[in-house]
Amino acid sequence: MKYLSALAGLLSGAIMPSVAHGEPLPHEPTWLQLEYELSAKRSDGQSSGTSRGRQALIETVMEERPDGVVLRYDLPHDEEDKASSGFWYFPARVVERQDGSLELLDEPLVEARIDQWLKTHKIPKEACGMWSHGGGFPFKVDCDPQSILDQIEAFDLRIPDLMAGGDYSHALGEAPGTLKALPAARSGYSVTFTVDQDKARAEEVANALILAQMLGKDLTRQQAEEDAEKIGFQGSIMIEFDLDPAGTVIRKRERTEIMVTRPDEEVETKTSLTTVTRLGMEDALEKFAD
C-alpha cells in the first residue's frame, strides 16, 4: 500500500501465495476494488486533514505453471482513457512464485512505456525518483518498472495460510498477531497488532523528507531522524478477512489508528480505513463504473 501511504504513513500490504481452489479460472477476469479513508484530528478537536478515494485493478489468471501462476493486471479503463492519462504502470504481467514472491514479466515493454511517458509529459530523466505536488496532489516521478509490484500489493487478496491460531505479520506491527475466527455470522478471520514505535518513526522520517523535497526545503536525514525521536507513537491495527464458501478471501478490511504526540504535547490521532474487495466483472461494472 505503498503509493497510498507515502504521506499518511498509515497503509501497508502483504504478500501473495499460490493459487488455491476457488480462485477464478484462467482468462476469467475479476475486479479488485480498493477504497480508502484517511483522517487526522488534533487534541483540540479540530480536524487537521481528511481524504478518501477509490481505485481498481482488473486481475486475470493467465497461466498456471509448476513454479507458480502468471497474472495480468490492468486498469478498468478503455484504451482511449489510458492513452489520454499516459499512465505507464499497466497493463502488467507478473509471475507469482510458490513462496509468494512476485516477478515482473515483459520488463522491456514497461521500460518503453516509461520512456514514452517521460517524453509525452516533457519530464527529464534526471527528475526520476523526485517528489512533486503538481495539481495540488503529491506524486512521485516514478521511473522504476519494479514499482509496479508495489501497486499490485496494495490490492492483494491472495493471503496465504489463514487459519485460527495462525500468525500474521504487518509492516507496522510490533510482533506477529494471532488470527481469530470472525463471529459465527461471518466466515473469515481477524487479527490485531500494536504499532511499533521504531517503525512508525521510520515512516515519519520518510514522510518528512518527501514533504521537504516537495516544498523545496533543506532537510537532512539526520535532522529528520532527530526530529522523529522527539515524537511518541501509540496505536493499533486491526485487519478482517472475509471468505467466500470456497475459502477464498473476497474482502480485506484494515483499520489503523495512531496517536502522535509531539514535543509541544499536542496529540494528533491519525486514522486510516482501507477496504479491498474482489467482485465479478458484471457486479463491479454495475456498482462502480462511471
Side-chain angles (χ1 to χ4, degrees):
M1 332 185 73
K2 298 176 184 176
Y3 66 111
L4 291 176
S5 62
L7 295 180
L10 293 174
L11 306 180
S12 64
I15 60 173
M16 296 194 283
S18 58
V19 169
H21 70 281
E23 289 292 343
L25 295 172
H27 309 301
E28 292 186 359
T30 57
W31 182 295
L32 299 174
Q33 183 74 24
L34 185 152
E35 299 173 275
Y36 65 92
E37 298 179 19
L38 309 174
S39 64
K41 184 174 289 188
R42 300 198 304 262
S43 51
D44 59 8
Q46 297 297 309
S47 173
S48 54
T50 183
S51 65
R52 60 175 53 88
R54 69 188 195 198
Q55 299 167 0
L57 282 182
I58 306 302
E59 179 190 270
T60 307
V61 177
M62 302 300 294
E63 178 187 359
E64 295 188 53
R65 311 191 318 198
D67 62 340
V69 61
V70 176
L71 302 165
R72 184 180 189 271
Y73 291 93
D74 203 356
L75 298 171
H77 299 157
D78 59 32
E79 294 305 318
E80 184 177 345
D81 288 338
K82 285 188 286 187
S84 63
S85 68
F87 195 63
W88 66 259
Y89 290 103
F90 301 103
R93 290 196 313 144
V94 301
V95 58
E96 176 195 332
R97 307 292 183 191
Q98 295 291 341
D99 63 0
S101 62
L102 296 173
E103 178 185 344
L104 176 64
L105 303 176
D106 300 332
E107 186 164 333
L109 294 178
V110 175
E111 290 176 338
R113 294 208 305 264
I114 294 171
D115 289 341
Q116 184 59 49
W117 176 72
L118 292 172
K119 185 182 299 184
T120 299
H121 295 279
K122 299 180 180 179
I123 301 173
K125 285 194 173 183
E126 293 75 18
C128 291
M130 303 295 287
W131 282 82
S132 183
H133 55 86
F137 295 95
F139 73 92
K140 183 180 182 181
V141 181
D142 189 358
C143 311
D144 179 9
Q146 294 301 317
S147 64
I148 285 176
L149 302 182
D150 294 339
Q151 314 298 319
I152 291 170
E153 284 183 357
F155 291 79
D156 177 27
L157 286 182
R158 296 170 176 272
I159 314 299
D161 304 325
L162 292 179
M163 64 181 71
D167 287 344
Y168 191 86
S169 297
H170 190 283
L172 280 181
E174 213 171 46
T178 301
L179 290 159
K180 299 179 180 179
L182 290 174
R186 296 167 63 189
S187 176
Y189 304 94
S190 67
V191 60
T192 58
F193 310 88
T194 298
V195 171
D196 186 292
Q197 284 215 64
D198 290 337
K199 295 175 181 177
R201 285 198 178 101
E203 286 212 353
E204 180 76 14
V205 169
N207 294 336
L209 291 170
I210 289 170
L211 184 60
Q213 185 182 104
M214 289 193 302
L215 299 178
K217 294 184 176 181
D218 291 329
L219 179 68
T220 64
R221 175 169 290 276
Q222 180 178 348
Q223 182 59 55
E225 290 174 348
E226 290 175 357
D227 292 343
E229 282 297 324
K230 302 172 185 176
I231 302 174
F233 298 89
Q234 288 183 301
S236 62
I237 304 156
M238 184 181 75
I239 305 177
E240 294 179 334
F241 305 98
D242 285 287
L243 310 182
D244 68 7
T248 300
V249 178
I250 56 172
R251 184 177 295 105
K252 176 184 175 184
R253 187 174 185 270
E254 179 174 331
R255 179 182 174 85
T256 300
E257 185 171 294
I258 301 178
M259 290 193 303
V260 183
T261 305
R262 304 193 182 278
D264 59 4
E265 297 190 354
E266 178 184 316
V267 178
E268 183 180 42
T269 301
K270 296 183 177 183
T271 304
S272 77
L273 176 61
T274 306
T275 304
V276 183
T277 306
R278 183 186 295 277
L279 302 116
M281 292 297 293
E282 289 186 10
D283 290 342
L285 288 171
E286 182 178 340
K287 185 173 183 180
F288 294 113
D290 49 26

